[in-house]
Amino acid sequence: NIMIEVVRRVAREIFIPFAVGGGIRTVEDMREVLLAGAEKVSVNSAAVKNPDLIAQGAQAFGSQCIVLGMDVKKVPVSPQIPSGYEIYINGGRTPMGIDALWWAQEAVRLGAGEICLNSIDADGTQEGYELNLTRMISEAVPIPVIASGGAGVPEHLYEVLTQAKADAALIASMVHYGTYTIPAIKEYLQQRGLKMRLLW
């Protein structure tokens, strides 16, 4: 279940937009999270099981509030998975036999306003994002795509934002472990020609 009190506490402490995911299964769950102070809600497994959840959320709160989380793994190309990338749910443990490219486009049709695209293969490796997957989805949908999974050095962000055409990049380990700071990463990207909002 959603930790609503944690959402409220985060909203009191930070002054940047944030999205909440995990345990959101109904429009009422979405409403509760948004009223607690989140700007967006992220749905993943629940949306795969019940795609109407995307449409219902978009109708109730606007597409800009609905982020589709996608956990994707590279698999052999087949008639069922023509892109070679399959959707997994339950934290990347359960294959669904759904083509990732089709699901991204279907989510847009249903009303998703943003996609957070996580590569199961790259996640946690710190060896770089899955550029082919990210480029494929970014080129196929008209909404922002956030690349997730694999960031280890600032160069990886530059690659995914340029070569793979991601609109944003999610980072975790490289800052959580103190290897890099957010200001340093943004400064690097600025020097490489990507416009950054530098506040420091």
Side-chain angles (χ1 to χ4, degrees), residues 133-198:
L133 167 66
T134 306
R135 185 186 306 107
M136 180 183 71
I137 301 295
S138 295
E139 290 179 343
V141 299
I143 60 175
V145 173
I146 305 165
S148 173
V153 296
E155 174 72 17
H156 293 153
L157 280 83
Y158 179 78
E159 291 171 352
V160 82
L161 294 170
T162 55
Q163 297 174 34
K165 303 181 181 179
D167 296 279
L170 187 152
I171 55 175
S173 299
M174 61 189 293
V175 289
H176 290 167
Y177 297 135
T179 313
Y180 296 94
T181 65
I182 292 173
I185 294 168
K186 294 176 82 172
E187 183 68 36
Y188 168 85
L189 294 172
Q190 177 92 346
Q191 290 173 358
R192 293 292 303 269
L194 295 178
K195 291 183 179 180
M196 293 285 118
R197 186 180 295 129
L198 302 177

Side-chain angles (χ1 to χ4, degrees), residues 3-4 10 13 22 40-41 63 67 78 100 118 133 137 155:
M3 298 183 291
I4 287 296
V10 170
E13 294 295 329
K40 302 179 182 186
V41 294
S63 291
V67 181
S78 67
N118 182 57
L133 167 66
I137 301 295
E155 174 72 17

